[in-house]
Coordinates of all heavy atoms in Angstrom, one line a residue:
H172 N -0.5 23.5 59.1 CA -1.3 22.3 59.5 C -0.8 21.8 60.9 O -1.7 21.5 61.8 CB -1.2 21.2 58.4 CG -1.7 19.9 58.8 ND1 -3.0 19.7 59.1 CD2 -1.0 18.7 59.0 CE1 -3.2 18.4 59.4 NE2 -2.0 17.8 59.3
L173 N 0.5 21.7 61.1 CA 1.0 21.1 62.3 C 0.8 22.1 63.5 O 0.5 21.7 64.6 CB 2.5 20.8 62.1 CG 2.7 19.5 61.2 CD1 4.2 19.4 60.9 CD2 2.2 18.2 61.8
L176 N -2.5 21.9 64.8 CA -2.7 20.7 65.7 C -2.0 20.8 67.0 O -2.0 19.9 67.8 CB -2.1 19.5 64.9 CG -2.9 19.0 63.7 CD1 -2.1 18.0 62.9 CD2 -4.3 18.5 64.1
H178 N 1.3 21.6 67.6 CA 2.8 21.3 67.7 C 3.6 22.6 67.8 O 3.3 23.6 67.1 CB 3.2 20.5 66.4 CG 2.6 19.2 66.3 ND1 3.1 18.1 67.0 CD2 1.4 18.8 65.7 CE1 2.3 17.0 66.7 NE2 1.3 17.4 65.9
L182 N 11.2 19.1 64.1 CA 12.5 18.6 63.5 C 12.3 18.8 62.0 O 11.3 18.3 61.4 CB 12.8 17.1 63.9 CG 14.0 16.5 63.2 CD1 15.3 17.2 63.7 CD2 14.0 15.0 63.3
P237 N 11.3 16.3 69.5 CA 10.2 17.1 68.9 C 8.9 16.3 68.8 O 8.9 15.0 69.0 CB 10.8 17.3 67.4 CG 11.7 16.2 67.2 CD 12.3 15.8 68.5
T238 N 7.8 17.0 68.6 CA 6.5 16.3 68.4 C 6.1 16.1 66.9 O 5.2 15.4 66.6 CB 5.4 17.0 69.2 OG1 5.2 18.3 68.6 CG2 5.8 17.2 70.6
A239 N 6.9 16.8 66.0 CA 6.6 16.7 64.6 C 7.8 16.8 63.8 O 8.8 17.5 64.2 CB 5.6 17.9 64.2
V240 N 7.8 16.0 62.7 CA 9.0 16.0 61.8 C 8.5 16.5 60.4 O 7.6 15.8 59.8 CB 9.6 14.6 61.7 CG1 10.9 14.7 60.8 CG2 10.0 14.0 63.1
L241 N 9.1 17.5 59.9 CA 8.8 18.0 58.6 C 10.0 17.6 57.7 O 11.1 17.9 57.9 CB 8.7 19.6 58.6 CG 7.5 20.2 59.3 CD1 7.9 21.4 60.0 CD2 6.4 20.4 58.3
A251 N 11.8 8.5 58.5 CA 11.4 9.1 59.8 C 10.4 8.2 60.5 O 10.5 7.9 61.7 CB 10.9 10.5 59.7
C252 N 9.5 7.7 59.7 CA 8.5 6.7 60.3 C 9.1 5.4 60.8 O 8.8 4.9 61.9 CB 7.4 6.4 59.3 SG 6.3 7.8 58.9
R261 N 4.7 6.0 68.5 CA 3.5 5.8 67.6 C 3.4 7.0 66.7 O 3.5 8.2 67.2 CB 2.3 5.6 68.4 CG 2.3 4.3 69.3 CD 1.2 4.4 70.3 NE 1.3 5.6 71.1 CZ 0.3 6.1 71.9 NH1 -0.9 5.5 71.9 NH2 0.5 7.2 72.6
V262 N 3.1 6.8 65.4 CA 2.8 7.9 64.5 C 1.3 7.7 64.2 O 0.8 6.7 63.7 CB 3.6 7.7 63.2 CG1 3.2 8.8 62.2 CG2 5.1 7.8 63.5
P263 N 0.5 8.8 64.4 CA 0.9 10.1 64.8 C 0.7 10.4 66.3 O 0.9 11.6 66.7 CB -0.1 11.0 64.0 CG -1.4 10.2 64.1 CD -1.0 8.7 64.1
E264 N 0.3 9.4 67.1 CA 0.0 9.7 68.5 C 1.2 10.4 69.3 O 1.0 11.3 70.1 CB -0.4 8.5 69.3 CG -1.8 7.9 68.8 CD -1.7 7.0 67.6 OE1 -0.5 6.9 67.0 OE2 -2.7 6.5 67.1
D265 N 2.4 9.9 69.1 CA 3.6 10.4 69.7 C 4.4 11.4 68.8 O 5.1 12.2 69.4 CB 4.5 9.3 70.2 CG 3.8 8.3 71.1 OD1 3.1 8.8 72.0 OD2 3.9 7.1 70.9
L266 N 4.2 11.2 67.5 CA 5.1 11.9 66.6 C 4.3 12.1 65.3 O 3.9 11.1 64.7 CB 6.4 11.2 66.4 CG 7.4 11.9 65.5 CD1 8.1 13.1 66.3 CD2 8.5 11.0 65.0
S267 N 4.2 13.3 64.8 CA 3.6 13.5 63.5 C 4.7 13.7 62.5 O 5.7 14.2 62.8 CB 2.7 14.8 63.5 OG 1.5 14.6 64.2
V268 N 4.4 13.2 61.3 CA 5.4 13.2 60.2 C 4.8 13.7 58.9 O 3.7 13.3 58.5 CB 6.0 11.8 59.9 CG1 7.0 11.9 58.8 CG2 6.7 11.3 61.2
T269 N 5.4 14.7 58.2 CA 5.0 15.1 56.9 C 6.1 15.0 55.9 O 7.2 15.0 56.2 CB 4.5 16.6 56.9 OG1 5.7 17.4 57.1 CG2 3.5 16.9 58.0
D324 N -3.0 10.1 57.5 CA -3.0 9.6 58.9 C -1.7 9.8 59.7 O -1.6 9.4 60.8 CB -3.4 8.2 59.0 CG -4.9 8.0 58.5 OD1 -5.7 8.9 58.6 OD2 -5.2 6.8 58.0
S325 N -0.7 10.4 59.1 CA 0.6 10.5 59.8 C 0.7 11.7 60.6 O 1.8 11.9 61.2 CB 1.8 10.4 58.7 OG 1.8 11.6 57.9
T326 N -0.3 12.5 60.6 CA -0.3 13.7 61.4 C -1.5 13.7 62.4 O -2.6 13.3 62.0 CB -0.3 15.0 60.6 OG1 -1.4 15.0 59.6 CG2 1.0 15.2 59.9
G327 N -1.3 14.2 63.6 CA -2.4 14.3 64.5 C -2.1 15.4 65.6 O -1.0 16.0 65.5
P328 N -2.9 15.5 66.6 CA -2.7 16.6 67.6 C -1.4 16.3 68.4 O -0.9 15.2 68.5 CB -3.9 16.4 68.6 CG -4.9 15.8 67.7 CD -4.2 14.9 66.7
A329 N -0.7 17.4 68.8 CA 0.5 17.3 69.5 C 0.2 16.5 70.8 O -0.8 16.7 71.5 CB 1.0 18.7 69.9
P330 N 1.1 15.6 71.2 CA 0.9 14.8 72.4 C 0.9 15.7 73.7 O 1.6 16.7 73.7 CB 2.0 13.8 72.4 CG 3.1 14.4 71.6 CD 2.4 15.2 70.5

Side-chain angles (χ1 to χ4, degrees):
H172 167 66
L173 292 168
L176 289 169
H178 295 276
L182 175 68
T238 63
V240 184
L241 290 143
C252 289
R261 300 164 301 165
V262 177
E264 291 84 358
D265 302 315
L266 185 74
S267 288
V268 179
T269 67
D324 295 334
S325 69
T326 52

